[in-house]
Amino acid sequence: MKNIQLTFLLMLGSLLFFSCSSDDAETTSTDGKEETPSKYRLSKIDLNNARSQPYSYDDFEFTYEADNETIKEITRGSYVYELLYEENLITVSLVEENMSGAEVTDLHEIHLENNKVTYVKNINVFTYTSGDVQTTIDSIKYDYHNNRLAKISSYRKNDLNYELEKDVEMVYQAGNVIETNTSRGEKTIKHIYTYDTNEKLKFSQMAYEMPIFKFTPLYYTIAHDKFGEQNKNNVLSASITYDYELFSPEYSQINYTYVLGEETNLLERIELNGTAKVDNPDYEEYYPSKTFDDISVMLIHESY
């Protein structure tokens, strides 16, 4: 494995949307003809659900159209989604699940304008064997300023109206998100980020508490290059503060280390270490340690 500082120059221009060419690798020949360098696409994001972390997400696995970078299906835990692409719209439909005792409908509509995600609508319906039906309708609005994502607003439909559940505001400096402020009613959460000086690696924000990914992981995974102008550099640390008591564990400090694959020179692993916080004494026995160093998000690529 190579450290990011040692291999950064090899990475320039090598990463594309869910694919890349190994332009830095030398071509080989067995019959006098040069072989075409391998191309790679992201096949899985293993979010390494370590026991000591405060929370976790399901892993993501990708199935593509043959011989290209267009995602056909996404597997998220026990759920399989099919993607349909139209002009200014990506539809994500649940096609397979193993929920016992209920039939599940889960539909996500990702709306775009000028190649940026502006609005998402999610309709989720549980039809139970008892005949009961539970429906939730969520929506997320993305606002931009100077081609940078400035605000994320989450809503839930209640009767005939949508009610605001959460606001996230972004603060930029030198081309990076250095602060996010999240409001949940009267509760607020602040993230403070530091960065290295290297050009941002593709997929480097697909980890816990990262800007945007933290707030909408499924949508960021599908359309990560469609949220306006991206960060210039790689996140080194996240410091999170809460203005309320935590009754279950949450991250408070995370440090990130990026590791590239020796063969592909692609981002292969994001190692996390840091501390967590909880104010509820009932968690002391279940969650005795407030430090962690065993979380490692894996980015697995396949050649095609």
Side-chain angles (χ1 to χ4, degrees), residues 1 24 30 44 59 62 74 83-84 92 117 137 187 200 227 237 242 244 252 258 262 264 269 289 292 295:
M1 301 299 174
D24 298 307
T30 57
K44 183 176 181 179
D59 298 337
F62 309 99
I74 288 183
L83 277 67
L84 175 65
V92 185
V117 178
I137 302 177
K187 299 179 178 180
K200 177 180 171 291
F227 286 94
S237 69
Y242 309 82
Y244 56 93
S252 60
Y258 305 93
E262 290 184 346
T264 65
R269 189 167 74 251
S289 175
F292 58 89
I295 302 174

mmCIF file of all heavy atoms in Angstrom, residues 1 24 30 44 59 62 74 83-84 92 117 137 187 200 227 237 242 244 252 258 262 264 269 289 292 295:
data_model
loop_
_atom_site.group_PDB
_atom_site.id
_atom_site.type_symbol
_atom_site.label_atom_id
_atom_site.label_comp_id
_atom_site.label_asym_id
_atom_site.label_seq_id
_atom_site.Cartn_x
_atom_site.Cartn_y
_atom_site.Cartn_z
ATOM 1 N N MET A 1 0.838 -1.197 0.000
ATOM 2 C CA MET A 1 0.000 0.000 0.000
ATOM 3 C C MET A 1 0.875 1.249 0.000
ATOM 4 O O MET A 1 1.899 1.290 0.647
ATOM 5 C CB MET A 1 -0.904 0.010 1.240
ATOM 6 C CG MET A 1 -1.809 -1.178 1.318
ATOM 7 S SD MET A 1 -2.910 -1.233 -0.116
ATOM 8 C CE MET A 1 -3.690 -2.797 0.150
ATOM 9 N N ASP A 24 -1.298 5.365 -15.594
ATOM 10 C CA ASP A 24 0.016 5.438 -15.004
ATOM 11 C C ASP A 24 0.755 4.102 -15.111
ATOM 12 O O ASP A 24 1.961 4.036 -14.939
ATOM 13 C CB ASP A 24 -0.090 5.829 -13.522
ATOM 14 C CG ASP A 24 -0.708 7.199 -13.363
ATOM 15 O OD1 ASP A 24 -0.208 8.138 -13.994
ATOM 16 O OD2 ASP A 24 -1.698 7.314 -12.637
ATOM 17 N N THR A 30 2.767 -9.341 -25.157
ATOM 18 C CA THR A 30 3.212 -10.734 -25.222
ATOM 19 C C THR A 30 3.394 -11.201 -26.655
ATOM 20 O O THR A 30 3.993 -12.237 -26.906
ATOM 21 C CB THR A 30 2.195 -11.653 -24.526
ATOM 22 O OG1 THR A 30 0.907 -11.486 -25.134
ATOM 23 C CG2 THR A 30 2.103 -11.306 -23.043
ATOM 24 N N LYS A 44 -18.031 -2.029 -5.062
ATOM 25 C CA LYS A 44 -18.599 -2.136 -3.716
ATOM 26 C C LYS A 44 -17.991 -1.084 -2.798
ATOM 27 O O LYS A 44 -16.812 -0.750 -2.910
ATOM 28 C CB LYS A 44 -18.341 -3.533 -3.129
ATOM 29 C CG LYS A 44 -18.957 -3.754 -1.754
ATOM 30 C CD LYS A 44 -18.745 -5.186 -1.258
ATOM 31 C CE LYS A 44 -19.387 -5.393 0.110
ATOM 32 N NZ LYS A 44 -19.223 -6.777 0.607
ATOM 33 N N ASP A 59 -23.743 -1.622 3.493
ATOM 34 C CA ASP A 59 -22.799 -1.518 2.386
ATOM 35 C C ASP A 59 -23.545 -1.285 1.071
ATOM 36 O O ASP A 59 -24.747 -1.563 0.957
ATOM 37 C CB ASP A 59 -21.975 -2.794 2.271
ATOM 38 C CG ASP A 59 -21.134 -3.063 3.515
ATOM 39 O OD1 ASP A 59 -20.845 -2.097 4.255
ATOM 40 O OD2 ASP A 59 -20.789 -4.236 3.752
ATOM 41 N N PHE A 62 -22.635 -2.558 -6.586
ATOM 42 C CA PHE A 62 -23.100 -2.012 -7.853
ATOM 43 C C PHE A 62 -23.042 -3.054 -8.957
ATOM 44 O O PHE A 62 -22.060 -3.788 -9.089
ATOM 45 C CB PHE A 62 -22.239 -0.809 -8.260
ATOM 46 C CG PHE A 62 -22.097 0.220 -7.164
ATOM 47 C CD1 PHE A 62 -20.958 0.242 -6.365
ATOM 48 C CD2 PHE A 62 -23.105 1.127 -6.900
ATOM 49 C CE1 PHE A 62 -20.830 1.158 -5.344
ATOM 50 C CE2 PHE A 62 -22.985 2.052 -5.879
ATOM 51 C CZ PHE A 62 -21.852 2.071 -5.093
ATOM 52 N N ILE A 74 -28.289 -1.289 -7.630
ATOM 53 C CA ILE A 74 -27.545 -1.080 -6.395
ATOM 54 C C ILE A 74 -28.125 -2.004 -5.337
ATOM 55 O O ILE A 74 -29.347 -2.050 -5.135
ATOM 56 C CB ILE A 74 -27.642 0.378 -5.905
ATOM 57 C CG1 ILE A 74 -26.821 1.306 -6.796
ATOM 58 C CG2 ILE A 74 -27.139 0.498 -4.474
ATOM 59 C CD1 ILE A 74 -26.821 2.746 -6.339
ATOM 60 N N LEU A 83 -32.054 1.168 -11.323
ATOM 61 C CA LEU A 83 -31.949 2.571 -11.699
ATOM 62 C C LEU A 83 -32.417 2.780 -13.129
ATOM 63 O O LEU A 83 -32.103 1.990 -14.023
ATOM 64 C CB LEU A 83 -30.505 3.070 -11.566
ATOM 65 C CG LEU A 83 -30.056 3.500 -10.161
ATOM 66 C CD1 LEU A 83 -30.006 2.319 -9.196
ATOM 67 C CD2 LEU A 83 -28.691 4.186 -10.210
ATOM 68 N N LEU A 84 -33.182 3.860 -13.334
ATOM 69 C CA LEU A 84 -33.658 4.243 -14.656
ATOM 70 C C LEU A 84 -33.266 5.699 -14.884
ATOM 71 O O LEU A 84 -33.530 6.557 -14.041
ATOM 72 C CB LEU A 84 -35.180 4.086 -14.755
ATOM 73 C CG LEU A 84 -35.840 4.573 -16.043
ATOM 74 C CD1 LEU A 84 -35.369 3.733 -17.230
ATOM 75 C CD2 LEU A 84 -37.367 4.533 -15.935
ATOM 76 N N VAL A 92 -34.969 5.501 -8.807
ATOM 77 C CA VAL A 92 -34.377 4.382 -8.080
ATOM 78 C C VAL A 92 -35.535 3.594 -7.455
ATOM 79 O O VAL A 92 -36.204 4.078 -6.539
ATOM 80 C CB VAL A 92 -33.404 4.871 -6.997
ATOM 81 C CG1 VAL A 92 -32.709 3.695 -6.327
ATOM 82 C CG2 VAL A 92 -32.387 5.851 -7.583
ATOM 83 N N VAL A 117 -28.122 17.916 -8.673
ATOM 84 C CA VAL A 117 -29.278 17.406 -7.943
ATOM 85 C C VAL A 117 -29.950 18.574 -7.227
ATOM 86 O O VAL A 117 -29.318 19.298 -6.456
ATOM 87 C CB VAL A 117 -28.866 16.337 -6.918
ATOM 88 C CG1 VAL A 117 -30.088 15.858 -6.132
ATOM 89 C CG2 VAL A 117 -28.182 15.163 -7.600
ATOM 90 N N ILE A 137 -43.732 9.740 3.049
ATOM 91 C CA ILE A 137 -43.277 10.489 1.884
ATOM 92 C C ILE A 137 -42.283 11.534 2.371
ATOM 93 O O ILE A 137 -42.636 12.421 3.152
ATOM 94 C CB ILE A 137 -44.446 11.150 1.128
ATOM 95 C CG1 ILE A 137 -45.464 10.090 0.685
ATOM 96 C CG2 ILE A 137 -43.923 11.927 -0.077
ATOM 97 C CD1 ILE A 137 -46.689 10.669 -0.003
ATOM 98 N N LYS A 187 -32.540 21.500 18.263
ATOM 99 C CA LYS A 187 -31.238 20.866 18.409
ATOM 100 C C LYS A 187 -30.326 21.255 17.247
ATOM 101 O O LYS A 187 -30.775 21.342 16.094
ATOM 102 C CB LYS A 187 -31.379 19.342 18.456
ATOM 103 C CG LYS A 187 -32.208 18.830 19.625
ATOM 104 C CD LYS A 187 -32.325 17.326 19.582
ATOM 105 C CE LYS A 187 -33.113 16.792 20.769
ATOM 106 N NZ LYS A 187 -33.233 15.303 20.729
ATOM 107 N N LYS A 200 -8.448 16.512 -4.395
ATOM 108 C CA LYS A 200 -9.414 15.548 -3.865
ATOM 109 C C LYS A 200 -9.421 14.260 -4.692
ATOM 110 O O LYS A 200 -9.528 14.294 -5.916
ATOM 111 C CB LYS A 200 -10.813 16.160 -3.855
ATOM 112 C CG LYS A 200 -11.915 15.217 -3.391
ATOM 113 C CD LYS A 200 -13.264 15.924 -3.428
ATOM 114 C CE LYS A 200 -14.394 14.937 -3.179
ATOM 115 N NZ LYS A 200 -14.554 13.991 -4.298
ATOM 116 N N PHE A 227 -23.425 17.385 -7.475
ATOM 117 C CA PHE A 227 -23.776 18.279 -6.376
ATOM 118 C C PHE A 227 -22.994 19.585 -6.466
ATOM 119 O O PHE A 227 -22.554 20.137 -5.465
ATOM 120 C CB PHE A 227 -23.521 17.598 -5.024
ATOM 121 C CG PHE A 227 -24.531 16.538 -4.693
ATOM 122 C CD1 PHE A 227 -24.294 15.209 -5.011
ATOM 123 C CD2 PHE A 227 -25.726 16.866 -4.078
ATOM 124 C CE1 PHE A 227 -25.226 14.221 -4.709
ATOM 125 C CE2 PHE A 227 -26.663 15.885 -3.786
ATOM 126 C CZ PHE A 227 -26.420 14.564 -4.099
ATOM 127 N N SER A 237 -9.798 15.619 9.006
ATOM 128 C CA SER A 237 -10.461 15.390 10.289
ATOM 129 C C SER A 237 -11.828 16.049 10.314
ATOM 130 O O SER A 237 -12.089 17.001 9.572
ATOM 131 C CB SER A 237 -9.614 15.931 11.452
ATOM 132 O OG SER A 237 -9.581 17.346 11.417
ATOM 133 N N TYR A 242 -22.358 18.910 19.760
ATOM 134 C CA TYR A 242 -23.811 18.845 19.899
ATOM 135 C C TYR A 242 -24.237 19.789 21.025
ATOM 136 O O TYR A 242 -23.572 19.842 22.065
ATOM 137 C CB TYR A 242 -24.256 17.415 20.236
ATOM 138 C CG TYR A 242 -23.683 16.359 19.307
ATOM 139 C CD1 TYR A 242 -22.389 15.866 19.510
ATOM 140 C CD2 TYR A 242 -24.418 15.866 18.251
ATOM 141 C CE1 TYR A 242 -21.853 14.905 18.656
ATOM 142 C CE2 TYR A 242 -23.887 14.898 17.398
ATOM 143 C CZ TYR A 242 -22.608 14.423 17.607
ATOM 144 O OH TYR A 242 -22.080 13.472 16.764
ATOM 145 N N TYR A 244 -26.922 19.447 22.785
ATOM 146 C CA TYR A 244 -27.915 18.724 23.571
ATOM 147 C C TYR A 244 -27.278 17.430 24.069
ATOM 148 O O TYR A 244 -26.240 16.999 23.568
ATOM 149 C CB TYR A 244 -29.165 18.421 22.737
ATOM 150 C CG TYR A 244 -28.888 17.662 21.461
ATOM 151 C CD1 TYR A 244 -28.963 16.271 21.423
ATOM 152 C CD2 TYR A 244 -28.538 18.343 20.294
ATOM 153 C CE1 TYR A 244 -28.693 15.572 20.254
ATOM 154 C CE2 TYR A 244 -28.270 17.648 19.121
ATOM 155 C CZ TYR A 244 -28.352 16.275 19.110
ATOM 156 O OH TYR A 244 -28.084 15.590 17.950
ATOM 157 N N SER A 252 -17.607 12.126 17.790
ATOM 158 C CA SER A 252 -17.234 13.478 18.195
ATOM 159 C C SER A 252 -15.952 13.948 17.505
ATOM 160 O O SER A 252 -15.780 15.145 17.282
ATOM 161 C CB SER A 252 -17.071 13.560 19.714
ATOM 162 O OG SER A 252 -16.064 12.680 20.163
ATOM 163 N N TYR A 258 -5.974 7.968 3.936
ATOM 164 C CA TYR A 258 -6.331 7.406 2.641
ATOM 165 C C TYR A 258 -5.215 6.486 2.143
ATOM 166 O O TYR A 258 -4.046 6.855 2.164
ATOM 167 C CB TYR A 258 -6.574 8.528 1.630
ATOM 168 C CG TYR A 258 -7.610 9.516 2.112
ATOM 169 C CD1 TYR A 258 -7.226 10.671 2.797
ATOM 170 C CD2 TYR A 258 -8.965 9.288 1.912
ATOM 171 C CE1 TYR A 258 -8.180 11.571 3.261
ATOM 172 C CE2 TYR A 258 -9.923 10.180 2.366
ATOM 173 C CZ TYR A 258 -9.522 11.323 3.047
ATOM 174 O OH TYR A 258 -10.464 12.201 3.514
ATOM 175 N N GLU A 262 -1.876 -0.838 -4.612
ATOM 176 C CA GLU A 262 -0.580 -0.931 -5.275
ATOM 177 C C GLU A 262 -0.732 -1.185 -6.770
ATOM 178 O O GLU A 262 -0.008 -0.625 -7.588
ATOM 179 C CB GLU A 262 0.250 -2.053 -4.647
ATOM 180 C CG GLU A 262 0.734 -1.759 -3.240
ATOM 181 C CD GLU A 262 1.634 -2.867 -2.710
ATOM 182 O OE1 GLU A 262 1.637 -3.945 -3.337
ATOM 183 O OE2 GLU A 262 2.301 -2.645 -1.698
ATOM 184 N N THR A 264 -3.641 -0.769 -8.737
ATOM 185 C CA THR A 264 -4.513 0.134 -9.478
ATOM 186 C C THR A 264 -4.201 1.611 -9.279
ATOM 187 O O THR A 264 -4.598 2.439 -10.094
ATOM 188 C CB THR A 264 -5.975 -0.090 -9.049
ATOM 189 O OG1 THR A 264 -6.118 0.281 -7.662
ATOM 190 C CG2 THR A 264 -6.390 -1.541 -9.236
ATOM 191 N N ARG A 269 -8.857 2.325 0.440
ATOM 192 C CA ARG A 269 -9.278 2.228 1.832
ATOM 193 C C ARG A 269 -9.217 3.605 2.496
ATOM 194 O O ARG A 269 -8.306 4.390 2.242
ATOM 195 C CB ARG A 269 -8.370 1.241 2.574
ATOM 196 C CG ARG A 269 -8.859 0.905 3.976
ATOM 197 C CD ARG A 269 -8.120 -0.306 4.544
ATOM 198 N NE ARG A 269 -6.751 -0.002 4.935
ATOM 199 C CZ ARG A 269 -5.681 -0.421 4.290
ATOM 200 N NH1 ARG A 269 -5.804 -1.143 3.183
ATOM 201 N NH2 ARG A 269 -4.462 -0.124 4.727
ATOM 202 N N SER A 289 -15.983 1.979 25.776
ATOM 203 C CA SER A 289 -14.869 2.730 25.210
ATOM 204 C C SER A 289 -15.373 3.871 24.347
ATOM 205 O O SER A 289 -16.288 3.699 23.543
ATOM 206 C CB SER A 289 -13.985 1.816 24.360
ATOM 207 O OG SER A 289 -12.978 2.559 23.722
ATOM 208 N N PHE A 292 -11.960 4.725 19.100
ATOM 209 C CA PHE A 292 -12.010 3.659 18.105
ATOM 210 C C PHE A 292 -10.854 3.847 17.128
ATOM 211 O O PHE A 292 -10.410 4.963 16.852
ATOM 212 C CB PHE A 292 -13.337 3.657 17.348
ATOM 213 C CG PHE A 292 -13.646 4.945 16.627
ATOM 214 C CD1 PHE A 292 -13.213 5.145 15.326
ATOM 215 C CD2 PHE A 292 -14.354 5.959 17.248
ATOM 216 C CE1 PHE A 292 -13.483 6.325 14.658
ATOM 217 C CE2 PHE A 292 -14.625 7.148 16.598
ATOM 218 C CZ PHE A 292 -14.191 7.334 15.296
ATOM 219 N N ILE A 295 -12.123 1.142 12.285
ATOM 220 C CA ILE A 295 -13.066 1.342 11.181
ATOM 221 C C ILE A 295 -12.265 1.580 9.910
ATOM 222 O O ILE A 295 -11.384 2.435 9.863
ATOM 223 C CB ILE A 295 -14.003 2.532 11.452
ATOM 224 C CG1 ILE A 295 -14.779 2.300 12.750
ATOM 225 C CG2 ILE A 295 -14.975 2.717 10.289
ATOM 226 C CD1 ILE A 295 -15.611 3.490 13.173
#
